[in-house]
């Protein structure tokens, strides 16, 4: 009997320790795993568990105590964890949307405007201030971020930047002042200071933008896809400290996929990728890190979107959650719809500036506005308006080039008022 009591006490302590560190479900899974062994080896019966000072309250048996006192303590711990996380999310969201004395995460972009009833963001200030357009690309390991980013780059002529790849390149870059620090962090598995990571990111953005200006070819006013960043709240705080003067975050593409699907994909990918982290153990660690550290960042970005909508009647930031469980083509269709919505801002900004030059100041009075994005770099804007008492339909064709979006075709059809 003494051995039984000692075994039960050991299980009780293990459960409580596990609950405190891993949560209710994993903590109580120990009961299901360990108690059968005690039962078989010691002829287990539900007997009171004795401690110094007497039996358990009301002479309750060991399992009943686990299902009451332990559960109550675990619920309290879990509740406190969620409260702390909610507070961190709110604090991060408020950091991304500071008082008017500082730039928000969306940079110098003003609140949404109306182009004939279609809400859009006026991005003209970004070109004036040479600010870079940014979209965060987030998702767990195997969610398809890389595959979709490749297609975005090919279709929309964006620039894909991985902070991890920039760090690896920076460690070997001749003349880079932080090369030794970055190399040391990578070798020892330490976290590179966020200001160093963001410094490399900004250098990469400037280099890509200057390539277009120097060559007079390519695509101006490009969108930068920042892959796998921000990973945690420290990254968010670092971004807000160093980047709003140089960037405007338009939003985030978040690829959501359950762990079961991710594991199958990673095992399949491991057959050809030769990546050292393409195994189940690494994948599960990375997924847990994503769920624990990055998902709260996504919630904070969603909260920023809500706060901006509440204050301005519309948000400058747009978080798009994409179901990544489908085929590559199915996921691409959702990605394409999201990217069209981001590109539409630049197209309508260019169209609005052109109309204002023609003397049409009140673009909100335009009728039957339609915007069609074709293959990422072509667009058609159709609208109706009154000119000299006549209702006309105008159609402008746009192309994305070195100077951004340029009108390359115009058609007007006049009809009776």
């Amino acid at each position: 009997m003494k051995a039984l009591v000692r075994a039960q006490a050991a299980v009780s302590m293990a459960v409580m320790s596990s609950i405190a560190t891993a949560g209710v479900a994993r903590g109580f899974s120990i009961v299901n795993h360990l108690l059968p062994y005690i039962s078989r080896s010691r002829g287990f019966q539900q007997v009171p568990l004795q401690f110094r000072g007497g039996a358990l309250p009301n002479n309750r048996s060991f399992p009943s105590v686990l299902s009451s006192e332990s559960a109550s303590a675990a619920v309290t711990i879990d509740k406190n964890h969620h409260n702390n996380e909610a507070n961190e999310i709110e604090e991060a969201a408020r950091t991304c949307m500071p008082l008017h004395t500082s730039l928000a995460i969306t940079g110098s972009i003003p609140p949404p405007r109306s182009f004939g009833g279609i809400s859009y963001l006026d991005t003209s200030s970004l070109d004036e201030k040479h600010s870079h357009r940014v979209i965060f690309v987030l998702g767990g390991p195997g969610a398809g971020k890389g595959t979709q980013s490749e297609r975005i780059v090919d279709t929309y002529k964006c620039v894909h930047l991985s902070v991890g790849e920039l760090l690896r390149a920076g460690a070997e870059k001749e003349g880079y002042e932080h090369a030794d620090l970055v190399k040391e962090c990578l070798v020892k598995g330490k976290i590179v200071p966020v200001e160093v990571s963001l410094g490399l990111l900004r250098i990469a953005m400037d280099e890509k933008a200057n390539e277009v200006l120097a060559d007079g070819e390519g695509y101006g006013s490009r969108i930068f896809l920042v892959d796998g960043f921000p990973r945690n709240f420290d990254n968010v705080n670092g971004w807000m400290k160093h980047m709003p003067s140089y960037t405007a975050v338009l939003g985030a593409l978040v690829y959501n996929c359950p762990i079961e699907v991710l594991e199958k994909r990673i095992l399949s990918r491991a057959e050809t990728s030769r990546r050292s982290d393409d195994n189940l153990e690494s994948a599960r660690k990375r997924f847990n890190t994503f769920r624990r550290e990055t998902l709260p960042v996504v919630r904070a970005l969603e909260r920023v979107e809500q706060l901006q909508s509440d204050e301005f009647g519309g948000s400058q930031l747009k978080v798009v959650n994409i179901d990544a469980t489908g085929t590559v083509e199915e996921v691409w269709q959702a990605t394409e719809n999201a990217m069209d919505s981001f590109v539409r801002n630049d197209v309508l900004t260019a169209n609005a500036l052109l109309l204002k030059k023609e003397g049409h100041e009140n673009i909100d009075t335009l009728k039957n506005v339609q915007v069609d994005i074709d293959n990422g770099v072509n667009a058609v804007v159709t609208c109706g308006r009154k000119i000299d008492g006549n209702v006309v339909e105008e159609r402008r064709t746009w192309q994305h080039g070195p100077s951004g979006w340029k009108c390359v075709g115009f058609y007007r059809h006049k009809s009776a008022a």
Side-chain angles (χ1 to χ4, degrees):
M1 180 61 69
K2 290 182 179 179
L4 172 60
V5 170
R6 285 197 298 270
Q8 292 173 337
V11 172
S12 178
M13 293 298 294
V15 171
M16 290 302 296
S17 176
S18 180
I19 288 170
T21 57
V24 178
R26 290 183 62 188
F28 280 105
S29 69
I30 295 178
V31 178
N32 296 327
H33 184 69
L34 294 182
L35 288 186
Y37 294 97
I38 299 173
S39 177
R40 288 197 299 269
S41 62
R42 298 290 182 180
F44 174 71
Q45 296 178 350
Q46 292 192 4
V47 296
L49 184 59
Q50 298 290 328
F51 292 95
R52 292 180 181 177
L56 294 173
N58 300 323
N59 206 35
R60 282 179 290 169
S61 63
F62 174 68
S64 69
V65 173
L66 285 179
S67 62
S68 56
E69 276 87 350
S70 298
S72 177
V75 169
T76 301
I77 292 170
D78 197 48
K79 183 178 180 181
N80 290 338
H81 169 75
H82 284 295
N83 287 340
N84 291 337
E85 184 175 279
N87 291 336
E88 287 183 321
I89 289 172
E90 185 68 20
E91 182 179 349
R94 298 288 178 177
T95 300
C96 293
M97 192 181 164
L99 299 175
H100 297 293
T101 54
S102 304
L103 288 174
I105 193 170
T106 45
S108 60
I109 297 178
R113 298 177 179 176
S114 175
F115 189 102
I118 294 182
S119 179
Y120 80 104
L121 298 177
D122 183 348
T123 57
S124 57
S125 64
L126 303 185
D127 296 323
E128 295 169 1
K129 298 178 182 295
H130 304 290
S131 295
H132 301 304
R133 296 157 171 79
V134 171
I135 295 175
F136 294 141
V137 183
L138 302 170
K145 301 187 300 295
T147 299
Q148 295 300 319
S149 293
E150 287 179 4
R151 298 190 72 163
I152 294 172
V153 169
D154 183 58
T155 302
Y156 294 89
K157 312 308 176 187
C158 299
V159 179
H160 177 252
L161 296 175
S162 165
V163 174
E165 292 176 2
L166 290 175
L167 288 172
R168 287 188 286 273
E172 305 299 329
K173 188 173 183 179
E174 186 176 351
Y176 174 52
E177 60 178 331
H178 299 301
D180 291 339
L181 171 63
V182 173
K183 187 178 296 184
E184 181 184 358
C185 289
L186 293 178
V187 170
K188 295 184 177 180
K190 296 181 180 180
I191 297 176
V192 178
V194 66
E195 61 270 18
V196 174
S197 300
L198 293 176
L200 284 170
L201 188 63
R202 183 185 166 195
I203 290 172
M205 291 179 180
D206 290 341
E207 288 177 348
K208 289 295 182 181
N210 290 334
E211 284 176 6
V212 177
L213 294 175
D215 298 340
E217 298 179 356
Y219 300 89
S221 305
R222 300 167 82 178
I223 293 174
F224 290 88
L225 305 175
V226 178
D227 188 349
F229 194 96
R231 294 181 182 273
N232 50 43
F233 288 133
D234 180 58
N235 287 173
V236 173
N237 292 331
W239 185 280
M240 290 306 302
K241 184 177 179 180
H242 298 284
M243 300 299 282
S245 297
Y246 312 104
T247 63
V249 179
L250 305 177
L253 300 176
V254 184
Y255 293 93
N256 298 307
C257 196
I259 183 64
E260 295 81 8
V261 177
L262 296 178
E263 288 179 353
K264 291 179 181 178
R265 289 181 179 176
I266 287 173
L267 286 176
S268 176
R269 189 173 71 184
E271 296 176 0
T272 56
S273 71
R274 297 182 180 178
R275 285 176 49 169
S276 60
D277 58 351
D278 270 350
N279 58 77
L280 285 183
E281 183 180 358
S282 295
R284 287 168 181 166
K285 288 180 180 178
R286 290 161 59 204
F287 182 79
N288 286 335
T289 298
F290 171 77
R291 183 171 54 186
R292 184 178 64 254
E293 298 186 12
T294 308
L295 274 184
V297 171
V298 174
R299 302 289 90 85
L301 294 175
E302 291 172 340
R303 178 61 176 150
V304 172
E305 186 175 6
Q306 180 185 354
L307 290 171
Q308 289 182 335
S309 294
D310 292 344
E311 182 169 343
F312 304 122
S315 177
Q316 296 100 307
L317 188 75
K318 182 175 183 178
V319 180
V320 183
N321 283 281
I322 295 175
D323 181 2
T325 59
T327 65
V328 172
E329 289 301 324
E330 290 171 342
V331 178
W332 171 245
Q333 184 175 357
T335 300
E336 193 173 27
N337 290 337
M339 287 303 303
D340 282 354
S341 69
F342 290 120
V343 169
R344 189 178 296 120
N345 294 319
D346 286 330
V347 174
L348 289 180
T349 295
N351 211 114
L353 291 173
L354 184 59
L355 288 173
K356 288 179 180 179
K357 286 182 180 179
E358 296 177 354
H360 191 89
E361 293 291 335
N362 192 0
I363 58 175
D364 194 32
T365 61
L366 299 171
K367 304 295 183 182
N368 303 319
V369 177
Q370 183 174 335
V371 184
D372 297 305
I373 310 296
D374 179 29
N375 202 31
V377 293
N378 299 291
V380 176
V381 179
T382 306
C383 64
R385 62 171 173 146
K386 276 189 176 184
I387 299 179
D388 298 329
N390 296 315
V391 177
V392 299
E393 179 186 276
E394 295 182 341
R395 182 181 297 114
R396 288 178 171 81
T397 304
W398 297 84
Q399 281 187 351
H400 192 190
S403 59
W405 287 90
K406 181 179 180 181
C407 184
V408 295
F410 175 71
Y411 168 80
R412 177 183 291 163
H413 173 71
K414 184 183 293 185
S415 60

